[in-house]
Amino acid sequence: MPKGRNSKKQKSGSKDRKGSLPPDGPRQTGISSDSDLASEAGSVYSMQSEFPVEDGFGPPVSTETGEVDEISAQQDFENKLGECIDGLSDKRKLTLGDALERCVKKGKGEEQNMSAIVCCHLCLQLGIGDDIESVFAPLRTIFLTIVKDKTASPKARTGCADALGLCCFIAGEENENLFTIMEALQNVFKESYPKGDGTRPSFTPEVTALHASALSAWSLLLTISPPAWTSTVINNMLPRLQELLDSVDVELRIAAGETIALCYELARLDNEEFEGSDIDGLCSKLRQLATDSNKYRAKKDRRQQRASFRDILRAVEAAEFPSETVRFGTEALEVDSWCSKRRYDAFCQVLTTGMNLHLRENELVRDIFSLGAPLTPEAIKHSKVSKVERQMYQAAAFKNRTLVRGKARDKRMDTGN
């Protein structure tokens, strides 16, 4: 028989075999029949029923009818799902904390500074409780080490000083840790004190910025220090803080002045007649800075310094504070003391443009500034001023403004005649 004809028969035979059905019916391709599904479901149910419900296996069964309690089964499922989600959230918090720890340890300069800022944001989100302690405890040691290391980058030390102040404030550290952190911060900014012969040390702008940040963080923690300890610290620190008013850096001068005003405010909570060791000399220096017009200072620095020290002078002389109202949405925050101002400035430094959002929605921030629980959408809707009321208010304000300007114009005309 020719060779080619035989090969054709073999091919056709193989094709027939491929298209033919097996003797025992259609092959299983992953799609089960109804009887198979029913048998599998029965086997699974029988396996689950072998385990008692109290051991956590199988669906809850009603003791009266012996049937599956679907409501209890749904509740049991939701509880276990919630436990899994909580466990995953805890793992993510620890993972993020570990990542920040590595960045602060092994990073350089700017990376360490940014990692410290992220740590502040993380603590703000976690709030008060065990979560923040588990995250901040290992970072606290690293931050302290970097702040004390004079060979480290000033940028990194500045970020760590800010993080130490804000995170310690949020965590509500125990007195032992609080005093350790405040002492470390004080050892940083005291390098700007005059030397023994009266000369002032010279530093780069990065280092003076570090000293200003350390002083601001120290004053923030002073607002939560025990009153008995605070009075002693204030009496010891006021003369040294007064020496920082002669610093060549405007930020450090303003930070020192605001800390002095804060010290007087805290001291007068216990003794309304508190004046310190040399209030006359202090007021003379503050008055000089409030009216400084030296040309060798930048115009922007002079304007900023005069505005700040006018308020500081009133705080020391007359125990006054210029109240400030911060509006966000339909609510408002009254910053009416140096203590609340120091706290508000610290949060603004970290949150920047997101401060108003946190004032509206962050429970921790609202608790710190005594704003109560966040408003519900329904409460916000009712608190909004209607369009008609807003137009009436604007019309009344315009009318009042026109009258005031008219009177001022008449006075100028009378003077001219």
Side-chain angles (χ1 to χ4, degrees):
M1 183 179 291
K3 187 175 181 180
R5 186 177 297 176
N6 188 21
S7 63
K8 288 184 178 180
K9 288 184 177 180
Q10 291 176 355
K11 290 183 179 178
S12 62
S14 62
K15 185 175 182 180
D16 293 339
R17 287 194 301 271
K18 187 181 295 184
S20 61
L21 296 174
D24 55 349
R27 294 185 180 182
Q28 299 297 325
T29 59
I31 304 177
S32 303
S33 62
D34 294 340
S35 60
D36 293 335
L37 291 174
S39 62
E40 290 179 4
S43 63
V44 171
Y45 180 76
S46 62
M47 290 177 63
Q48 290 180 342
S49 61
E50 294 176 0
F51 298 95
V53 176
E54 57 270 16
D55 290 342
F57 298 96
V61 179
S62 174
T63 56
E64 297 180 357
T65 62
E67 297 178 354
V68 177
D69 188 349
E70 295 182 357
I71 298 178
S72 299
Q74 180 68 20
Q75 292 177 348
D76 185 60
F77 170 76
E78 292 177 355
N79 292 335
K80 291 183 178 180
L81 180 60
E83 292 176 1
C84 293
I85 293 175
D86 292 340
L88 181 60
S89 300
D90 293 338
K91 289 180 180 179
R92 286 181 177 178
K93 293 171 187 174
L94 295 176
T95 301
L96 183 54
D98 293 339
L100 288 174
E101 186 176 344
R102 287 194 298 271
C103 289
V104 177
K105 273 185 177 180
K106 300 181 180 179
K108 299 294 181 183
E110 184 66 25
E111 182 181 359
Q112 292 174 305
N113 182 275
M114 296 302 296
S115 300
I117 296 176
V118 175
C119 178
C120 294
H121 283 271
L122 179 60
C123 291
L124 278 169
Q125 297 297 332
L126 293 177
I128 302 174
D130 296 335
D131 290 338
I132 188 174
E133 179 60 27
S134 61
V135 171
F136 180 56
L139 289 170
R140 181 202 306 122
T141 304
I142 301 173
F143 288 154
L144 277 172
T145 302
I146 295 176
V147 165
K148 294 177 182 179
D149 186 5
K150 296 182 180 181
T151 62
S153 165
K155 190 99 175 175
R157 296 178 69 193
T158 300
C160 292
D162 292 334
L164 273 176
L166 189 62
C167 294
C168 180
F169 175 83
I170 295 172
E173 293 281 51
E174 297 179 355
N175 291 342
E176 183 179 356
N177 291 330
L178 178 67
F179 298 155
T180 301
I181 293 173
M182 292 186 69
E183 182 181 4
L185 294 171
Q186 182 180 344
N187 290 333
V188 173
F189 66 76
K190 77 176 185 179
E191 294 179 0
S192 286
Y193 292 162
K195 298 180 180 178
D197 56 359
T199 59
R200 306 204 65 84
S202 178
F203 297 106
T204 63
E206 291 79 10
V207 175
T208 54
L210 165 64
H211 295 173
S213 293
L215 178 56
S216 297
W218 183 89
S219 63
L220 176 64
L221 297 181
L222 186 65
T223 64
I224 60 172
S225 299
W229 182 80
T230 301
S231 59
T232 303
V233 172
I234 289 175
N235 288 323
N236 294 334
M237 287 295 296
L238 275 177
R240 306 313 306 265
L241 291 173
Q242 188 172 343
E243 295 175 348
L244 295 179
L245 297 176
D246 293 321
S247 172
V248 297
D249 184 75
V250 63
E251 296 294 339
L252 183 56
R253 290 197 300 272
I254 292 176
E258 291 182 347
T259 304
I260 290 173
L262 175 64
C263 288
Y264 269 86
E265 180 179 88
L266 294 175
R268 285 168 177 167
L269 292 177
D270 295 330
N271 180 12
E272 295 181 357
E273 304 298 327
F274 178 82
E275 293 185 349
S277 57
D278 184 19
I279 191 171
D280 293 333
L282 176 60
C283 289
S284 176
K285 182 63 180 178
L286 295 176
R287 194 174 293 107
Q288 176 186 346
L289 292 171
T291 57
D292 187 9
S293 59
N294 291 325
K295 298 298 181 182
Y296 66 87
R297 302 193 197 277
K299 187 175 181 180
K300 179 182 177 182
D301 291 348
R302 293 201 305 270
R303 188 185 305 112
Q304 182 183 6
Q305 175 180 291
R306 287 196 295 266
S308 298
F309 277 95
R310 281 196 295 267
D311 296 337
I312 295 169
L313 178 61
R314 286 197 294 269
V316 175
E317 278 187 331
E320 295 180 358
F321 178 82
S323 181
E324 178 184 358
T325 302
V326 179
R327 300 192 179 278
F328 53 98
T330 59
E331 300 178 89
L333 168 65
E334 293 293 334
V335 183
D336 55 0
S337 66
W338 286 100
C339 184
S340 59
K341 181 182 186 302
R342 177 79 281 276
R343 296 173 179 178
Y344 179 77
D345 290 346
F347 281 91
C348 284
Q349 182 181 353
V350 174
L351 298 174
T352 59
T353 57
M355 183 63 184
N356 285 354
L357 176 63
H358 281 265
L359 285 173
R360 286 197 304 269
E361 301 180 5
N362 192 314
E363 294 182 1
L364 171 65
V365 176
R366 293 181 66 88
D367 180 63
I368 290 173
F369 293 104
S370 303
L371 294 171
L375 296 181
T376 61
E378 190 67 22
I380 295 175
K381 182 179 179 180
H382 288 300
S383 63
K384 286 185 177 179
V385 180
S386 66
K387 184 177 180 180
V388 176
E389 292 175 338
R390 186 166 61 251
Q391 290 176 344
M392 293 177 62
Y393 172 79
Q394 292 174 351
F398 176 77
K399 182 178 180 180
N400 182 59
R401 187 164 55 248
T402 303
L403 292 174
V404 171
R405 288 178 178 176
K407 291 180 181 179
R409 190 180 300 112
D410 293 341
K411 288 182 179 179
R412 288 198 299 270
M413 293 178 63
D414 295 339
T415 304
N417 293 332

